[in-house]
Amino acid sequence: MALVPRRSLTSLGARTLDLVDAVTDLVRVAAGTVSGAVFTYWRGTRPKGEIARQMHAIGNRSLLFVMVTLGFVGMVMVYQTCLLTTQVVDGRGQVGAQFARLLVLDVGPSLTAMMLATRVGAGIAAEIGSMKVTEQIDALRMSAVTPVDYLIVPRFFACVLMTVVLSIFGMAASWAAGGLTGYYSFQINPRTFFDLSMVAPAHVVLGMTKAVAYGAAIPIVAGWCGLRARGSSEGVGAATTAAVIGSSFAVIVLDFIISAIGLIFWGAGL
Amino acid sequence: MIALRGLHKAFGGRPVLAGVDLEVSRGEVLFVIGTSGVGKSVTIKHLVGLLRVDAGEIWLDGARIDALPERAYAAIRRRVAMVFQSSTLFDSMTIAENVALPLRKHGRLRMAEALADARRRLVEVGLGEFADRWPAELSDGMRKRAAIARALTLDPEVVLFDEPTTGLDPINARRVDRLIRALADERGVTAIVVSHDLASIFSTADRIAFLYQGGVRMCGTPAEVQASADPVVQQFITGRSSGPMETPGF
Amino acid sequence: MILQRTLTTLGARSMAVARDAGGVFVLLLEVLRSLVPPSMDGRELMRNLYKMGYRSVPIVVLTALFVGALMVVQLAAFVKQFGATALVGWGTGYAVFREVGPILIGLMFSGRVGANNTAELATMTVTDQIDGLQALAIDPIRYLVVPRVLAMIVCLVALTVIGDLVALIGAMAMSQVVLDIHPLTLWYSLVDNLSTADFLHGVYKSMVFGAAIALSSCYFGLTVKGGAVGVGRAVNAAVVGAAVSICFLDFLMTYLTA
């Protein structure tokens, strides 16, 4: 009887220690990435053309994925909003303008980042995780290369840039698909629909800030998960899973924080 | 009992088996030997339908089985069991649960009965006290013996062993050899063993089939193989690095 | 020259997508065929229900809290501008029940459970455990895939219902804080304007999403090639496949059930 609470206390203690250890690791990777990006990366022996290669891997190879998913989401959003607005009074004229505002302010960058968290986050963790379990990371350290500088920093640059770019492409796809849905299902004139009058500079600033923040968070979280991989194929699988869930969650939390800050700053004007 | 006729198999355009002919009679221990990558495992995987032939015939007890649909192989797999090189114990189950699984699925036993039977069978292979451990907690030799116990649960007529002694220390390897020999001698089980472990080949085999360049180079008793004048066979059994044998990559 | 290369890449990629989509569809047919006669490994089902459902509750609750709060933050500017406080419950409920809840919880579920499942099956595949199962005359579809598909559908529906409710709590808390709207006001605005149909719309979606996530994750897990690297790649492909399926099926279901 007396053993039970002691054992659960021990396991609680062990889990707390694990958590502390994990968080310390995350902070270390994040700090290493940022300081690497600002200071050491450009001075050190950086792998040539790596940023371009990562931009291709993260950007080009996600373009279709992002545009297809955002396109579908755009159609659904317009469809549902039209259903809602036609229930009470005919507010179809406002749908396009409001949709554009929401797209720029939140849905475009956030949903693009959710998609990138699954595709890019999983990819980065899988790649770095496999290197970890096959002892390639240790080999890097033996040749006096910092793994964070070598592996995460180029992905960091590429991902920040590409999240912004893909967000814009995603928004465009979503906007176009939404416009088509409005026209074909609810007879909204494209001229009425494609209306940017509700989009203020503040919306663009906030939306792009989100894109940059997501783009920074995904490689850091995914790289952190990859570097913590242990064991063999199970370890890589677990790291990849953790990266997907971790970076998706990071996107949701950052979205909330930045949106709240925006609301405090601009208030009703937003 | 088992006959392979003109077995052909290619992977991605690269032929691995190019006309393998082999006969196995009931109750004998046949060793299939040869260098790595020559297609030994590929050959035996055809017998239980894990791989399908490109050309050729496979006969089991007078019935042709190479063109059966996947579902029909269930009946064959109960008669022909296989022990894999990597043991393939299921990570999510204890050793006893692993052995109980086929009993539960095919013997229609309830969980408690199946587990009791599984423990009995684990005692037979000397793993009685490890029944409730997880596969990851056991040594390679123990995992191999647990896998053999699992393969034997349905009382198969034929057991295929894929490199049963590779990666084991000599003591565990000889223990596995004795287990295979006892199966044949005491229960009349036919065993086909893929191996390149010379010690187990010559201590355990009734007959040896030597695979080379996609076909059976020679087939005979251990004494015949040892007396063979074929330079390729001689090079393999004496383990010389130079000789007529072409090993890929060197 | 560039055009030719682009077209070649596009063609190769379409072929790969078509092959995977076909593979998932074939798996669906095999699962359906395995349901007659209905027999299932009860232990596998319970194990997966526990692992996929019970242990996903914390992440779903956390996500839903943030999502509910986020909905209010998004609506806040609009509400302040027009003083439309009576609409907050309606708008939040409509969006969360019909779209945001099923999609975001589906994506999180795919990331946690689908990815985990792919990793587990892929590890079993690369270590020959699937062959081992077949050699014991046990059908991997019936033994491994069917219970997982069923477990994922049940779990995702349950988690979506939980998530919907938790998101409302998040929305209530947030609207009290930033808009000074009493939780009950929000609640009445919701129950007065929304019907069970809106709620069920999301539940049906989560059912379909659960099946899509399960099939995608099992397919990529069972067709993995090439060791530890392959396992990572399979997980990646599974979550991407699930995300595309969720967005596409969401669109399809919105049209069909509107």
Side-chain angles (χ1 to χ4, degrees):
Chain A
M1 276 299 278
L3 263 175
V4 179
R6 188 189 296 170
R7 187 182 299 164
S8 60
L9 270 184
T10 321
S11 92
L12 191 69
R15 281 170 67 177
T16 314
L17 280 182
D18 278 350
L19 191 67
V20 169
D21 182 50
V23 172
T24 320
D25 250 14
L26 176 59
V27 171
R28 196 176 296 150
V29 170
T33 309
V34 173
S35 81
V38 179
F39 305 114
T40 48
Y41 185 71
W42 302 102
R43 274 187 277 138
T45 49
R46 57 181 184 274
K48 217 175 161 211
E50 180 67 6
I51 295 184
R53 227 165 47 77
Q54 290 301 335
M55 273 164 49
H56 181 264
I58 293 171
N60 296 32
R61 307 207 44 207
S62 306
L63 182 62
L64 192 66
F65 172 52
V66 165
M67 287 183 70
V68 167
T69 47
L70 272 268
F72 280 124
V73 170
M75 293 201 237
V76 173
M77 278 178 68
V78 169
Y79 199 91
Q80 297 276 27
T81 320
C82 286
L83 279 185
L84 188 69
T85 49
T86 46
Q87 263 173 24
V88 201
V89 284
D90 193 357
R92 280 181 293 181
Q94 276 293 303
V95 169
Q98 286 293 342
F99 178 61
R101 174 185 154 274
L102 198 59
L103 206 57
V104 170
L105 180 61
D106 190 68
V107 175
S110 300
L111 214 61
T112 303
M114 281 298 279
M115 294 301 148
L116 288 182
T118 56
R119 196 186 129 15
V120 174
I124 291 176
E127 208 175 343
I128 296 182
S130 324
M131 292 182 71
K132 176 74 191 299
V133 301
T134 52
E135 298 180 321
Q136 291 178 55
I137 301 284
D138 291 334
L140 275 182
R141 290 164 71 178
M142 290 305 289
S143 44
V145 175
T146 328
V148 170
D149 269 7
Y150 189 84
L151 294 172
I152 302 182
V153 172
R155 287 170 174 76
F156 174 80
F157 282 121
C159 196
V160 168
L161 197 64
M162 281 301 151
T163 307
V164 173
V165 172
L166 288 172
S167 294
I168 294 168
F169 273 103
M171 281 183 228
S174 210
W175 205 36
L180 283 177
T181 310
Y183 179 67
Y184 283 110
S185 300
F186 295 92
Q187 290 78 45
I188 303 176
N189 189 333
R191 257 185 240 165
T192 324
F193 188 91
F194 294 115
D195 171 8
L196 285 173
S197 62
M198 295 289 289
V199 181
H203 298 138
V204 180
V205 171
L206 209 58
M208 288 300 113
T209 311
K210 285 179 185 175
V212 170
Y214 303 149
I218 291 169
I220 291 176
V221 173
W224 164 63
C225 294
L227 288 175
R228 284 176 67 82
R230 246 175 282 166
S232 61
S233 49
E234 297 112 284
V236 177
T240 316
T241 309
V244 173
I245 205 74
S247 39
S248 307
F249 192 60
V251 168
I252 291 176
V253 173
L254 283 172
D255 188 8
F256 174 73
I257 294 174
I258 299 174
S259 300
I261 292 175
L263 190 67
I264 293 166
F265 253 106
W266 279 290
L270 208 60
Chain B
M1 181 189 194
I2 295 173
L4 307 180
R5 305 226 171 95
L7 208 59
H8 281 74
K9 182 73 183 176
F11 290 103
R14 193 176 60 88
V16 174
L17 303 180
V20 171
D21 297 289
L22 208 56
E23 300 255 349
V24 189
S25 40
R26 193 173 287 277
E28 80 169 336
V29 177
L30 174 82
F31 268 63
V32 178
I33 67 173
T35 50
S36 306
V38 76
K40 307 184 294 286
S41 305
V42 171
T43 307
I44 63 166
K45 278 185 179 173
H46 280 95
L47 291 175
V48 284
L50 291 176
L51 291 173
R52 295 309 184 88
V53 295
D54 291 343
E57 298 172 6
I58 301 172
W59 295 78
L60 175 67
D61 270 344
R64 194 173 160 181
I65 61 167
D66 54 82
L68 292 177
E70 176 67 22
R71 299 213 146 188
Y73 266 105
I76 290 165
R77 287 168 185 162
R78 292 199 209 180
R79 294 171 58 197
V80 183
M82 177 153 181
V83 178
F84 290 82
Q85 185 180 356
S86 51
S87 298
T88 69
L89 295 175
F90 306 118
D91 305 319
S92 57
M93 304 178 194
T94 64
I95 301 300
E97 283 169 350
N98 258 288
V99 179
L101 181 70
L103 291 167
R104 209 153 55 77
K105 286 280 152 191
H106 299 302
R108 300 277 162 217
L109 293 183
R110 276 202 243 116
M111 193 63 198
E113 298 164 337
L115 275 178
D117 196 355
R119 278 172 210 283
R120 240 184 345 268
R121 286 166 191 274
L122 282 169
V123 171
E124 285 174 25
V125 293
L127 289 175
E129 52 195 297
F130 298 98
D132 294 316
R133 299 285 193 89
W134 300 98
E137 299 172 335
L138 267 57
S139 72
D140 287 340
M142 290 176 178
R143 274 206 290 272
K144 188 74 75 179
R145 280 186 276 149
I148 293 174
R150 191 179 68 182
L152 295 178
T153 45
L154 299 176
D155 298 315
E157 300 161 43
V158 184
V159 183
L160 312 175
F161 293 91
D162 193 356
E163 308 212 6
T165 56
T166 304
L168 300 189
D169 61 75
I171 296 169
N172 269 309
R174 296 298 81 76
R175 200 180 272 164
V176 170
D177 288 343
R178 280 200 301 278
L179 210 65
I180 295 171
R181 200 58 254 178
L183 276 178
D185 295 344
E186 289 160 22
R187 300 199 204 170
V189 171
T190 311
I192 303 179
V193 187
V194 161
S195 181
H196 45 218
D197 178 350
L198 291 173
S200 59
I201 293 167
F202 289 110
S203 68
T204 320
D206 289 323
R207 236 151 37 90
I208 296 170
F210 182 75
L211 233 54
Y212 182 62
Q213 288 182 341
V216 178
R217 177 84 172 200
M218 118 157 251
C219 191
T221 63
E224 284 168 2
V225 169
Q226 253 164 341
S228 165
D230 187 331
V232 173
V233 177
Q234 274 306 317
Q235 189 196 342
F236 183 84
I237 63 174
T238 53
R240 278 196 308 272
S241 61
S242 61
M245 194 184 286
E246 293 166 18
T247 44
F250 289 98
Chain C
M1 183 59 195
I2 289 175
L3 183 71
Q4 191 185 0
R5 213 173 50 195
T6 315
L7 283 179
T8 316
T9 322
L10 207 64
R13 270 220 253 161
S14 325
M15 286 301 285
V17 169
R19 196 189 53 225
D20 288 337
V24 170
F25 189 69
V26 169
L27 187 62
L28 171 66
L29 293 183
E30 284 183 66
V31 166
L32 290 178
R33 199 177 57 176
S34 300
L35 288 174
V36 227
S39 76
M40 171 144 6
D41 195 275
R43 287 171 58 84
E44 263 309 282
L45 182 67
M46 292 314 291
R47 193 174 75 86
N48 280 303
L49 280 176
Y50 170 77
K51 204 175 62 169
M52 294 169 172
Y54 179 71
R55 301 194 49 197
S56 303
V57 172
I59 186 74
V60 165
V61 166
L62 265 178
T63 309
L65 268 181
F66 275 100
V67 167
L70 192 63
M71 296 305 297
V72 173
V73 171
Q74 297 299 352
L75 276 173
F78 191 71
V79 170
K80 278 187 178 169
Q81 209 176 334
F82 298 100
T85 47
L87 293 180
V88 176
W90 181 26
T92 310
Y94 189 83
V96 167
F97 287 170
R98 294 180 74 101
E99 292 300 331
V100 182
I103 291 189
L104 280 185
I105 292 169
L107 285 176
M108 289 312 255
F109 187 79
S110 157
R112 194 190 173 285
V113 173
N116 219 326
N117 181 55
T118 309
E120 187 188 340
L121 290 183
T123 302
M124 288 183 78
T125 307
V126 298
T127 55
D128 287 340
Q129 290 178 46
I130 304 292
D131 278 354
L133 212 53
Q134 284 185 311
L136 294 170
I138 297 170
D139 180 9
I141 304 284
R142 189 168 286 213
Y143 180 70
L144 292 175
V145 179
V146 174
R148 280 166 165 73
V149 173
L150 197 73
M152 282 201 218
I153 294 175
V154 171
C155 290
L156 186 54
V157 169
L159 291 169
T160 305
V161 172
I162 295 172
D164 281 352
L165 299 178
V166 173
L168 285 186
I169 296 173
M172 285 176 182
M174 203 61 198
S175 56
Q176 174 77 66
V177 173
V178 293
L179 294 171
D180 203 22
I181 296 176
H182 192 270
L184 272 181
T185 315
L186 190 135
W187 175 252
Y188 286 128
S189 153
L190 187 138
V191 290
D192 288 348
N193 292 303
L194 293 183
S195 62
T196 359
D198 291 310
F199 183 72
L200 287 179
H201 182 82
V203 171
Y204 295 142
K205 280 184 175 171
S206 65
M207 234 177 249
V208 175
F209 295 170
I213 293 168
L215 288 172
S216 164
S217 92
C218 289
Y219 168 76
F220 286 105
L222 292 174
T223 52
V224 63
K225 284 196 180 67
V229 184
V231 173
R233 225 182 288 134
V235 174
N236 198 341
V239 288
V240 169
V244 173
S245 319
I246 286 176
C247 291
F248 173 68
L249 291 170
D250 183 44
F251 160 74
L252 211 63
M253 299 231 358
T254 301
Y255 258 96
L256 291 181
T257 60

